[in-house]
Amino acid sequence: MHAPARKLFPMLSATDFERSLAFYATYLGGQQTYRFPADGEPMFVTLQFAAGSELGIGRIVAGATALHGQALRPASGHRVELCVYVDDVDTTAARLEAAGAPIVLAPTDTPWGERVAYVADPDGNLVMLTREAAA
């Protein structure tokens, strides 16, 4: 039997790194816990959220073929959907929309009891905002 994975660490590839960083740090409350390189323009950051969740954001450099000696990820189009738990779906969606994030699905109640909304981050990744169903 194979050993189970110890941890899932999602990483996004960002063509507009500064806007993506602002989206996840400023508007969704991520706190930067790692930055590479430590000085100058960052190529990668790790953000930590409440309850210990982490997200990595890597800069896509136009025309570059390698980053730190490794091939760049072939990132393009819709690559991932993130589920972000918030206290107030409507307020968070409105704040993101005011900051320029496209609303893909306006806040709505689901048949299973959650309130959800979908927004797109600066690179077009889907972000589902949700409030956990009442117990």
Side-chain angles (χ1 to χ4, degrees):
M1 180 173 173
H2 297 285
R6 293 184 308 117
K7 182 178 178 180
L8 179 64
F9 178 57
M11 297 188 304
L12 300 177
S13 299
T15 54
D16 191 333
F17 186 82
E18 286 72 21
R19 282 185 63 214
S20 289
L21 187 57
F23 181 90
Y24 290 101
T26 303
Y27 299 108
L28 292 175
Q31 299 295 313
Q32 191 174 134
T33 58
Y34 176 80
R35 171 191 173 115
F36 183 85
D39 298 317
E41 184 175 71
M43 296 303 291
F44 182 84
V45 298
T46 299
L47 300 176
Q48 185 169 29
F49 297 84
S53 300
E54 291 183 308
L55 175 68
I57 303 174
R59 183 186 301 270
I60 295 177
V61 179
T65 57
L67 175 63
H68 318 305
Q70 299 177 352
L72 289 177
R73 293 182 298 274
S76 64
H78 176 71
R79 298 175 296 280
V80 68
E81 176 182 319
L82 296 175
C83 176
V84 178
Y85 288 96
V86 298
D87 290 330
D88 187 324
V89 171
D90 296 70
T91 299
T92 304
R95 186 174 67 243
L96 291 171
E97 183 177 33
I103 300 296
V104 179
L105 175 68
T108 188
D109 293 320
T110 65
W112 54 90
E114 290 182 332
R115 183 144 180 91
V116 302
Y118 277 87
V119 300
D121 79 3
D123 280 285
N125 296 303
L126 287 177
V127 177
M128 181 179 77
L129 305 171
T130 187
R131 182 193 73 222
E132 293 178 280

